[in-house]
Amino acid sequence: MTTSQTESPASTSPNEDTGQKLPWSPLLALGTAAFMGILTEALPAGVLPEMARDLSVSQSAAGQSLTIYAIATGVAAIPLSVATSAWRRKQLLLLAVVTFAVANIVTAMSSSYPLTMTFRLLAGVAAAAVWAELVGYARRLAPPHLQGRAIAITMAGIPLALSLGIPVGTFLGGLFGWRLTFGLVALISVLLLVWIGVSVPDAPGQKAGQREPILKALKLPGVVAVLFVVAAYVLAHNILYTYIATFLDEYDMGGQRDIVLLVFGIASMVSIFVTGAMVDRKLRQLTVGSTALFIVASVMLALAAESDTVVYTAMILWGLGWGGVATLLQTAVTDAGGSRGQALLVTTWNSFMAGGGAVGGILLDGMGPTSFPWSVLLLLVPVLLVVVASRRHGFPAKRPGAA
């Protein structure tokens, strides 16, 4: 997830050369950084059984490789933002991408579970730095009337990682082994370093005394409602997504894992394009629809996952619901709480992403993978109620400043 860090007049200079057009190369580089953050985080979900076997741990233990990454991102988001607020923005972004590369190289080569988890933790901290830059950079690079579209471009890296990166990684892992997959991800990180170095302009950090206390944003109308939706929705998604390979194995669909994930990811891409086109006018309706689609998908998986057709249909509905969520909730929390709300969103998102891996592991060991869709359903019904109830603040019928 993303949060803007610098909004000072001095930080707007990159936009002076863009005129009235979008600067595609730097925006796509930022989108690729988002891609790398999600890909590095979620890739173990696609190769979990093989990774667990080679590290000599259970699948629930291997699943914690996602948990520790997300915990690190969530815990580091606010203190890292404060500690690096004076840094040059490009310097921080490049350091984060270097950390991705090193962490993935170590993961590809390590036979030690503790060593692997240590570098997963470091990669999670790096992700916190990336998320802290994306929205602010996108807004600075684009003219005012195109800032929403610029943010949508940077956010497109998230569903792209889900639609192409993870399924292709899963496929390559099946052909050549999961270690090669992580090695290829490290190579992409190195190429991204060059791209960012060449195309993304630098920007200064904040001066001392500019930052307002982040936690005060909790007192602003609508912020708590949005953060509740973030927490419950992300927890529900990650309970199921972290252990999707295990869930599919339960219903003898493990051999179709890469195709299932590809279907999910393509539906996610459709969702983010639709969301990007309509979020300024239909934030509330899109959020209600997103939640409803995921609820229907969870009911289908809970009641009829024995059918391949039902599973694929549910994955399409889930993807359509999930793909635009990052943009929807980013927009909602920014409307309600500004950049301080964004910082809280980063912490909430990643903390409950980590919770999904942990809770999913407990459910897996205690009740088995068939419990996942029911858990999703129990979390999403309150989400839908809160979104519907937050008509005035949080998810208003008309966004502030919208035409």
Side-chain angles (χ1 to χ4, degrees):
M1 285 311 304
T2 60
T3 179
S4 175
Q5 188 172 40
T6 57
E7 298 294 338
S8 63
S11 69
T12 61
S13 58
N15 183 46
E16 294 175 359
D17 297 329
T18 64
Q20 297 300 304
K21 297 181 180 180
L22 287 174
W24 281 97
S25 181
L27 287 175
L28 289 173
L30 293 173
T32 304
F35 175 94
M36 291 304 304
I38 292 295
L39 183 60
T40 300
E41 179 169 17
L43 186 57
V47 294
L48 199 63
E50 297 82 7
M51 192 173 179
R53 183 189 64 239
D54 287 357
L55 293 175
S56 301
V57 296
S58 67
Q59 289 191 35
S60 60
Q64 303 318 303
S65 62
L66 284 84
T67 303
I68 196 169
Y69 186 111
I71 287 176
T73 304
V75 171
I78 293 176
L80 185 66
S81 180
V82 173
T84 62
S85 62
W87 289 28
R88 306 287 305 181
R89 301 295 91 195
K90 187 172 180 178
Q91 177 187 23
L92 180 60
L93 188 60
L94 289 171
L95 180 59
V97 177
V98 167
T99 305
F100 285 153
V102 173
N104 283 312
I105 289 171
V106 171
T107 301
M109 299 177 66
S110 171
S111 297
S112 166
Y113 180 72
L115 180 63
T116 299
M117 296 295 275
T118 298
F119 277 86
R120 293 286 297 172
L121 184 148
L122 292 175
V125 174
V130 170
W131 300 144
E133 297 308 310
L134 293 182
V135 168
Y137 246 125
R139 292 178 64 182
R140 289 192 297 268
L141 287 167
H145 69 288
L146 293 176
Q147 286 179 352
R149 191 174 300 176
I151 292 171
I153 291 170
T154 65
M155 298 295 285
I158 296 172
L160 186 61
L162 296 171
S163 64
L164 296 178
I166 293 174
V168 170
T170 303
F171 176 74
L172 291 175
L175 286 180
F176 305 111
W178 65 273
R179 295 184 184 278
L180 175 61
T181 303
F182 278 93
L184 291 174
V185 172
L187 176 60
I188 295 172
S189 299
V190 173
L191 297 176
L192 177 59
L193 276 173
V194 177
W195 190 2
I196 292 174
V198 170
S199 70
V200 176
D202 199 3
Q206 287 183 309
K207 296 179 181 179
Q210 283 185 329
R211 177 176 291 276
E212 296 179 307
I214 291 174
L215 293 179
K216 284 189 176 180
L218 292 171
K219 298 180 180 180
L220 298 174
V223 170
V224 171
V226 176
L227 293 178
F228 172 82
V229 171
V230 171
Y233 202 122
V234 170
L235 180 63
H237 170 80
N238 282 280
I239 285 174
L240 185 55
Y241 193 79
T242 300
Y243 297 98
I244 189 63
T246 306
F247 181 81
L248 294 174
D249 285 344
E250 179 72 12
Y251 293 98
D252 298 323
M253 291 186 66
Q256 303 177 54
R257 192 191 319 163
D258 54 342
I259 301 175
V260 170
L261 288 172
L262 181 61
V263 168
F264 171 83
I266 291 172
S268 296
M269 287 297 294
V270 172
S271 177
I272 200 169
F273 286 124
V274 171
T275 301
M278 301 176 65
V279 63
D280 290 328
R281 295 174 288 108
K282 301 289 185 181
L283 172 65
R284 176 179 175 82
Q285 295 92 323
L286 288 169
T287 309
V288 170
S290 165
T291 309
L293 286 169
F294 197 2
I295 287 174
V296 173
S298 66
V299 171
M300 294 175 68
L301 292 175
L303 297 179
E306 296 86 357
S307 166
D308 290 9
T309 301
V310 168
V311 170
Y312 278 108
T313 303
M315 297 300 289
I316 292 171
L317 296 178
W318 179 13
L320 291 173
W322 172 252
V325 162
T327 299
L328 292 171
L329 299 182
Q330 176 76 49
T331 303
V333 82
T334 302
D335 288 346
S339 60
R340 291 178 295 164
Q342 293 175 27
L344 291 170
L345 182 142
V346 173
T347 296
T348 303
W349 184 290
N350 287 283
S351 297
F352 282 86
M353 182 177 289
V359 172
I362 293 170
L363 290 171
L364 178 61
D365 290 339
M367 293 181 281
T370 59
S371 65
F372 296 155
W374 294 108
S375 302
V376 169
L377 187 61
L378 289 174
L379 288 164
L380 289 181
V381 170
V383 166
L384 185 59
L385 294 175
V386 168
V387 173
V388 170
S390 303
R391 174 174 290 274
R392 186 175 179 185
H393 300 292
F395 300 94
K398 184 176 180 180
R399 287 184 58 222

